[in-house]
Amino acid sequence: AQSVTQLGSHVSVSEGALVLLRCNYSSSVPPYLFWYVQYPNQGLQLLLKYTSAATLVKGINGFEAEFKKSETSFHLTKPSAHMSDAAEYFCAVKSGDDYKLSFGAGTTVTVRA
Amino acid sequence: DAGITQSPRYKITETGRQVTLMCHQTWSHSYMFWYRQDLGHGLRLIYYSAAADITDKGEVPDGYVVSRSKTENFPLTLESATRSQTSVYFCASSEVWGQYEQYFGPGTRLTVT
């Protein structure tokens, strides 16, 4: 079954600094990969998705992710962190033959002024 | 409003009581999902449904019951609540003709005393 691993449960960055969240996947077939963001006391919101159309995927709020098949990675980046980026981020992969997703454990981002 | 809603948003109940969490979506998505979110465990799938009257177990189904008589509704019932079921519960939906992304409701915070 497909799965994802998020490296680092917590990331702290300064405002204006690069945000880099790591996600590695295991999949025997071309994967469908997703990044979600969860703000406090809210549901998960789709940031971006990879569906094999392009290896560099641009999402909302200035985030982007690059699919690297050779590294089985789908890392999320944002060039300049903003205070509003403080949230929890989840990487997910389509799991199995149906419409289920398998989620990583999540990475909490803190932004320092 | 269009989208996916959950009710109640907060619920406190006693051990042994039956509790039903409601989920309603206005998109006519075929797939619907129930997750629980606990610190240290990320998101875990409880049950999912591919269409009305079709449901299947996820990763942690014990102690929960679901039904889906209408496409737009997917209630989750805790037949006899236990303290270990204290959690935040999220409902999500996905369309058959999409690219497997799921859309989440705002969540229900359930406390079992």
Side-chain angles (χ1 to χ4, degrees):
Chain A
Q2 291 87 341
S3 64
V4 293
T5 301
Q6 291 184 241
L7 301 177
S9 60
H10 187 261
V11 169
S12 180
V13 298
S14 298
E15 193 173 20
L18 171 72
V19 179
L20 170 60
L21 305 182
R22 301 178 187 274
C23 174
N24 289 89
Y25 69 91
S26 66
S27 176
S28 58
V29 298
Y32 287 83
L33 292 158
F34 308 86
W35 275 100
Y36 283 86
V37 60
Q38 184 182 30
Y39 299 105
N41 298 315
Q42 294 186 26
L44 278 70
Q45 179 183 358
L46 183 66
L47 265 180
L48 50 80
K49 61 185 178 184
Y50 169 76
T51 57
S52 76
T55 57
L56 184 62
V57 182
K58 294 188 183 299
I60 62 172
N61 301 338
F63 284 92
E64 61 182 35
E66 186 173 10
F67 172 72
K68 291 187 176 181
K69 185 177 180 180
S70 60
E71 299 178 6
T72 61
S73 68
F74 190 55
H75 301 333
L76 181 72
T77 60
K78 181 173 181 178
S80 178
H82 191 272
M83 297 299 288
S84 61
D85 295 325
E88 189 162 18
Y89 293 79
F90 293 92
C91 183
V93 64
K94 177 182 176 297
S95 175
D97 296 329
D98 51 25
Y99 281 66
K100 293 185 290 185
L101 297 181
S102 178
F103 287 84
T107 299
T108 300
V109 172
T110 302
V111 182
R112 305 186 303 271
Chain B
D1 289 340
I4 186 165
T5 57
Q6 294 183 236
S7 62
R9 293 293 315 278
Y10 302 90
K11 176 74 175 178
I12 299 174
T13 191
E14 295 177 343
T15 301
R17 291 197 178 259
Q18 182 178 81
V19 177
T20 296
L21 309 184
M22 304 301 294
C23 179
H24 175 79
Q25 51 107 354
T26 60
W27 295 308
S28 298
H29 285 175
S30 292
Y31 275 84
M32 295 188 75
F33 308 83
W34 273 108
Y35 295 90
R36 60 178 290 172
Q37 184 178 31
D38 304 288
L39 198 62
H41 291 278
L43 281 163
R44 292 183 290 177
L45 182 64
I46 304 170
Y47 270 96
Y48 66 105
S49 169
D53 298 322
I54 300 175
T55 62
D56 208 345
K57 295 178 180 179
E59 183 184 353
V60 288
D62 293 344
Y64 303 95
V65 174
V66 294
S67 62
R68 195 167 175 206
S69 58
K70 294 183 178 181
T71 299
E72 61 267 28
N73 297 324
F74 190 38
L76 175 74
T77 298
L78 288 66
E79 294 187 298
S80 179
T82 65
R83 289 191 180 132
S84 65
Q85 293 177 310
T86 292
S87 186
V88 181
Y89 291 85
F90 289 100
C91 179
S93 70
S94 182
E95 59 181 1
V96 173
W97 308 115
Q99 295 174 317
Y100 307 104
E101 65 267 32
Q102 293 181 12
Y103 299 91
F104 283 78
T108 295
R109 184 175 295 275
L110 176 69
T111 301
V112 182
T113 62

